[in-house]
Amino acid sequence: MKKTYKCCICHRILDYKPIRLVKQLNDNKETYNAYHNQVNYDFCIRCYKTFDNWINKHKDGVNNE
């Protein structure tokens, strides 16, 4: 059975593996693997480009201040 992926922004069903953004939280312990996955966000290529452009725009603004 083939797994189906859906974009978290436009909700389009994807016929390819998505670009995945993972939210990780630190458990505040002194262990080697202190970060643990909380949520997976799957993006289609079009929505990811919009997200990536937004990140780069704000990254440049922070560096120029």
Side-chain angles (χ1 to χ4, degrees):
M1 182 174 189
K2 186 177 179 181
K3 183 169 180 160
T4 57
Y5 296 101
K6 195 163 137 180
C7 179
C8 67
I9 302 294
C10 67
H11 305 289
R12 186 176 332 152
I13 295 176
L14 307 174
D15 59 351
Y16 54 88
K17 287 196 174 188
I19 299 168
R20 178 166 284 173
L21 179 69
V22 179
K23 177 182 175 183
Q24 295 182 330
L25 293 177
N26 189 316
D27 63 5
N28 293 325
K29 295 180 182 174
E30 298 295 327
T31 60
Y32 177 72
N33 291 328
Y35 288 91
H36 299 285
N37 293 353
Q38 298 298 310
V39 181
N40 293 330
Y41 297 101
D42 294 334
F43 292 91
C44 67
I45 293 171
R46 185 172 61 185
C47 290
Y48 180 76
K49 285 180 184 178
T50 304
F51 174 76
D52 194 43
N53 289 338
W54 181 80
I55 292 292
N56 288 328
K57 175 184 167 187
H58 290 278
K59 182 175 65 173
D60 291 341
V62 171
N63 292 338
N64 291 334
E65 292 179 358

